[in-house]
Amino acid sequence: MAAVVEPSSGSRHSPMKLHFMQFAAGGCAGFVEVSLMHPLDLMKTRFQIQRGPDDPNRYTSLADCFKKMYRNEGALSFYKGILPPLMAETPKRAVKFFTFERYKEMFASFQIIPYSSILYLAGLCSGLTEAVIINPFEVVKVKLQADRHAFKEQGSTIATAREIIRNDGFGRRGLNKGLTSTLGRHGVFNMIYFGFYHNVRDLIPQAETHSLEIGRKLLIGFVSGTIASCVNIPFDVAKSRIQGPQPVPGEIKYRTFSAEFVSFCKIYI
């Protein structure tokens, strides 16, 4: 769940200082989130990229995934691929909150768009901007997370990035693989999260005490993040499938979000 950085209505800070505070607050929130949630993110990716029932390495549940990873790859395996998001998350979160405020100001200047719609549009645009920055880091992260070797046997983040660049370059088959799905994932998530959060927050009266007010914002943020995650999960699955190992080595099965979505529908619908 992302934190929401809100400038107070009667801010005593200069615009430059306020912008810096938004960058810093977003960056710190991202660092804490990655540090705490990375093991769950890794297990999520493992589930998203695993093959059908015939896969000998298939996980049957979250507990099964945890036990097999711990037994076969070691305790440190839960932090495979943590360096790319740590490197990217601080600037990513900073860009998310900073650009959301700037897009909000831009759409508001048109004076024809309802404020409730401005929040959704600003969230969408901030997510698209964020996705362009984060995608190369996501490609490296997913490759590291998909590696089933023991943590000590795994190549470093720098070595993995060099391998991707050497073999596939910087384009749509290299560091920008799966960009369309990443755009969808971050654009949809931010659109729903920011739009829902700010609209609902304005409808619910403020609490009388500071502690209750923090609880009110946390609850709204939790609900906003949950709804946004549920809606954008198809993009997230497609991103992992496209950026992760393909079912047949050397043969690219998942190239685009549309192709992966069609494949998904054939299997599950």
Side-chain angles (χ1 to χ4, degrees):
M1 180 185 71
V4 176
V5 182
E6 303 173 76
S8 58
S9 56
S11 177
R12 299 185 299 273
H13 303 297
S14 66
M16 183 62 68
K17 187 174 182 179
L18 186 59
H19 294 170
F20 175 79
M21 290 171 64
Q22 291 167 353
F23 262 105
C28 291
F31 183 86
V32 172
E33 178 181 344
V34 170
S35 300
L36 294 175
M37 302 303 295
H38 188 77
L40 285 176
D41 180 70
L42 188 149
M43 287 189 281
K44 171 185 69 72
T45 301
R46 289 286 182 94
F47 275 104
Q48 290 175 341
I49 64 175
Q50 70 180 1
R51 304 183 188 96
D54 297 332
D55 185 354
N57 298 312
R58 184 177 179 83
Y59 305 117
T60 58
S61 66
L62 193 63
D64 181 59
C65 179
F66 182 89
K67 287 189 293 185
K68 287 181 178 177
M69 285 186 61
Y70 182 81
R71 182 176 63 246
N72 299 330
E73 303 172 43
L76 290 177
S77 66
F78 296 103
Y79 288 91
K80 284 181 175 180
I82 193 173
L83 186 56
L86 280 180
M87 294 171 61
E89 199 71 15
T90 297
K92 175 190 120 174
R93 295 292 181 184
V95 167
K96 175 201 289 279
F97 293 114
F98 180 78
T99 57
F100 172 72
E101 295 296 333
R102 305 293 78 77
Y103 283 125
K104 191 168 66 172
E105 292 172 359
M106 181 188 74
F107 288 122
S109 67
F110 297 147
Q111 298 181 346
I112 57 173
I113 306 174
Y115 183 69
S116 58
S117 299
I118 287 175
L119 296 171
Y120 285 101
L121 287 172
L124 172 64
C125 292
S126 71
L128 296 176
T129 306
E130 173 190 11
V132 174
I133 295 172
I134 198 68
N135 194 69
F137 296 92
E138 286 289 314
V139 172
V140 178
K141 184 196 77 170
V142 171
K143 185 174 179 64
L144 289 168
Q145 289 182 334
D147 188 348
R148 293 177 182 264
H149 292 92
F151 185 83
K152 293 181 180 179
E153 299 174 5
Q154 187 179 56
S156 68
T157 298
I158 300 300
T160 302
R162 286 176 177 171
E163 179 188 351
I164 295 171
I165 295 171
R166 182 176 62 252
N167 295 335
D168 300 307
F170 293 91
R172 299 295 296 273
R173 295 188 62 176
L175 281 183
N176 275 299
K177 182 165 55 175
L179 178 60
T180 304
S181 297
T182 306
L183 288 168
R185 184 181 79 157
H186 289 268
V188 169
F189 181 92
N190 285 6
M191 177 182 70
I192 296 174
Y193 181 83
F194 281 115
F196 185 89
Y197 176 90
H198 286 281
N199 279 304
V200 172
R201 183 203 62 184
D202 293 340
L203 291 175
I204 301 176
Q206 291 189 1
E208 296 180 356
T209 65
H210 179 67
S211 58
L212 288 176
E213 178 61 14
I214 292 176
R216 181 183 77 100
K217 290 180 178 178
L218 283 174
L219 179 60
I220 298 172
F222 175 80
V223 174
S224 302
T226 300
I227 295 173
S229 295
C230 291
V231 173
N232 89 328
I233 193 65
F235 293 98
D236 191 40
V237 174
K239 184 190 80 68
S240 296
R241 293 284 183 92
I242 294 168
Q243 294 176 345
Q246 302 297 296
V248 179
E251 179 183 321
I252 300 178
K253 179 179 181 180
Y254 306 117
R255 291 180 180 272
T256 63
F257 169 74
S258 58
E260 165 57 16
F261 184 76
V262 170
S263 176
F264 178 87
C265 290
K266 287 180 179 178
I267 295 173
Y268 295 105
I269 297 179

